Amino acid sequence: MKTSLLVGALCTINITATVFCVIFNFPEVAEISYYISTFILCLFSFANNPNDYELRFLKRLLFFFFLPIAFHFYVYRDQSVVYFFHYIASVIAGVTVARYFTEIPFRLIFITIVFIEVCAILFISESGNMAHLNRTYYTVPLVILLFCMVISDYYRGVNNSYFSVTLLFIVSILSNSRSVSTIVFLLMSAFPIRYILGGRYSIKALIFFPIALISIAVTLYFMAGIINDLSLLKRFSERGLDSGRFVFWAYYLTELDYKSIFLGVNVNQLWVTLDDLFFNDGGRHTLHNSFLSLHSHGGIIPVIFLVFTFLKLVDKNFSNNRGILVIGAFFILIAKANFDVIIFPQRFDFLMFAVIFFLWSNKKHAASLKAE
């Protein structure tokens, strides 16, 4: 068995078990499967010595990511220590995934997750137990997998992500997620734009678009009852893209001072404050924003470092006509990250670090592709 297939299987187990168990409210199983698969991925990372590119980026992570988080914990003595060790495991596992990135069957993992989620949506709708409809966990793994998949396809010279984008759009509608439904619909415009900019009008593209539109229309027609139960159209008509998240963000930003801007805030106290002001249910509530979440337990330096790194790598690797779909998937990821804590910290962080390590280690190859 190839090592890449084993790594891909571990990724599948990690994501599938997490999604399935969270949807059906089995958090203990999700925890166990996540830790076991991540631990094995970490072991693979130690099987080979890191190359020069990996070492360079690891040094940058140490100074601009881990040290600020460690200093934050030294000052506040809060929950950030758990995030610190989570990031260490995610980075080590990410190195393993990055080494086999173009060989991992991301498309198969993507379709597997879609199948599980559609079955779950149908089951939940029929049972009427809408308490298990966690919209975030329907869309988050698919958004991240789509990003990984289009990058892998790009480097393998494959451009057949049409079907996957269409599936993501349908699942985002069925999962009652306004933000993802909107931005995935915008992403679909990347296909005609790509061909217009490239001056190519292939028969494949001309056939795909009418079929995709008809398929979406037919699917939505037969799923009209479910969509009505999920009230997506009602939520759009009543609130548009307005969200209570804006209140959280405004509160968090207005409470920052010079110290908290650079160091973040006491995460434990933040949970208590959010609960007292907005919920009063005794739960741990997030800011529903990945970047503010990272800032809260690491300060401004890790946020600037990761955002700048992502933007730089995407620009260097995909600033040509062929890369427009990757940029579109990146836009979806960033847009979704602005409305939920889907990364940093989250279970799928190892995939994000894998993308960074892979793109960082392939800059020379990217330059040759860019020149085409």
Side-chain angles (χ1 to χ4, degrees):
M1 178 185 292
K2 286 186 176 181
T3 306
S4 59
L5 293 179
L6 184 55
V7 171
L10 290 170
C11 292
T12 306
I13 293 172
N14 189 312
I15 299 170
T16 305
T18 299
V19 172
F20 185 84
C21 296
V22 171
I23 289 174
F24 291 104
N25 200 24
F26 299 120
E28 295 82 6
V29 179
E31 292 284 339
I32 293 173
S33 61
Y34 167 75
Y35 287 121
I36 291 177
S37 57
T38 303
F39 176 73
I40 297 175
L41 284 172
C42 290
L43 291 181
F44 274 106
S45 181
F46 293 114
N48 298 301
N49 294 325
N51 59 41
D52 291 339
Y53 288 104
E54 292 170 350
L55 284 175
R56 289 179 197 172
F57 191 72
L58 284 171
K59 290 177 182 178
R60 298 193 181 197
L61 276 175
L62 174 63
F63 286 105
F64 298 112
F65 190 79
F66 286 107
L67 285 182
I69 295 176
F71 189 65
H72 168 98
F73 173 70
Y74 175 79
V75 173
Y76 291 109
R77 306 287 176 171
D78 60 4
Q79 185 73 12
S80 60
V81 66
V82 176
Y83 301 147
F84 182 83
F85 288 107
H86 160 79
Y87 288 132
I88 291 178
S90 298
V91 167
I92 297 174
V95 170
T96 299
V97 176
R99 290 170 178 169
Y100 304 98
F101 200 82
T102 56
E103 302 173 43
I104 295 174
F106 286 111
R107 191 176 310 280
L108 179 60
I109 302 174
F110 183 93
I111 294 175
T112 301
I113 299 296
V114 168
F115 177 76
I116 291 174
E117 293 185 353
V118 170
C119 290
I121 292 171
L122 295 174
F123 172 80
I124 291 170
S125 178
E126 288 296 322
S127 65
N129 188 3
M130 305 306 285
H132 293 305
L133 184 61
N134 189 321
R135 296 191 303 271
T136 295
Y137 268 92
Y138 282 106
T139 55
V140 168
L142 295 181
V143 168
I144 295 176
L145 282 172
L146 178 72
F147 185 50
C148 294
M149 183 176 60
V150 294
I151 292 175
S152 177
D153 287 350
Y154 178 88
Y155 275 88
R156 291 188 298 113
V158 178
N159 293 294
N160 57 352
S161 300
Y162 310 107
F163 179 67
S164 301
V165 174
T166 306
L167 281 180
L168 178 57
F169 178 63
I170 293 172
V171 172
S172 66
I173 291 178
L174 296 179
S175 65
N176 201 18
S177 175
R178 289 174 298 161
S179 58
V180 177
S181 298
T182 302
I183 55 186
V184 173
F185 181 76
L186 294 176
L187 172 66
M188 296 181 76
S189 65
F191 290 109
I193 290 174
R194 176 180 177 273
Y195 282 97
I196 292 172
L197 293 178
R200 295 179 298 157
Y201 303 91
S202 69
I203 296 177
K204 181 179 179 181
L206 292 175
I207 294 175
F208 167 76
F209 293 120
I211 292 177
L213 292 175
I214 294 171
S215 300
I216 292 172
V218 171
T219 301
L220 297 183
Y221 175 79
F222 285 106
M223 296 292 185
I226 296 176
I227 295 172
N228 183 61
D229 292 338
L230 299 177
S231 68
L232 177 64
L233 298 178
K234 182 179 179 181
R235 294 173 69 223
F236 261 118
S237 62
E238 291 180 352
R239 300 174 58 187
L241 290 176
D242 187 26
S243 173
R245 295 169 173 86
F246 301 145
V247 179
F248 305 155
W249 304 345
Y251 166 77
Y252 182 80
L253 294 173
T254 54
E255 291 296 312
L256 294 177
D257 54 23
Y258 290 112
K259 176 184 176 182
S260 56
I261 287 175
F262 287 98
L263 298 181
V265 301
N266 187 308
V267 176
N268 297 348
Q269 185 59 46
L270 177 64
W271 289 336
V272 174
T273 303
L274 289 176
D275 182 60
D276 290 343
L277 291 178
F278 303 108
F279 299 98
N280 290 314
D281 61 4
R284 290 184 177 182
H285 301 281
T286 70
L287 292 166
H288 289 277
N289 184 296
S290 298
F291 304 106
L292 292 183
S293 175
L294 177 57
H295 176 271
S296 69
H297 61 266
I300 194 66
I301 295 177
V303 176
I304 294 176
F305 170 70
L306 284 181
V307 170
F308 175 77
T309 299
F310 263 117
L311 291 175
K312 180 180 179 181
L313 289 176
V314 170
D315 176 64
K316 281 185 172 294
N317 286 269
F318 309 110
S319 57
N320 57 12
N321 293 339
R322 283 189 58 218
I324 191 169
L325 184 58
V326 179
I327 295 174
F330 177 68
F331 170 72
I332 285 185
L333 179 67
I334 295 300
K336 183 60 179 173
N338 272 291
F339 285 91
D340 275 301
V341 182
I342 69 170
I343 50 176
F344 310 129
Q346 192 51 270
R347 299 188 188 280
F348 312 112
D349 286 346
F350 75 99
L351 288 176
M352 301 311 301
F353 284 114
V355 169
I356 294 176
F357 276 105
F358 174 75
L359 296 180
W360 189 272
S361 300
N362 285 272
K363 286 191 283 188
K364 287 184 178 180
H365 182 49
S368 63
L369 286 174
K370 187 174 180 180
E372 291 181 1

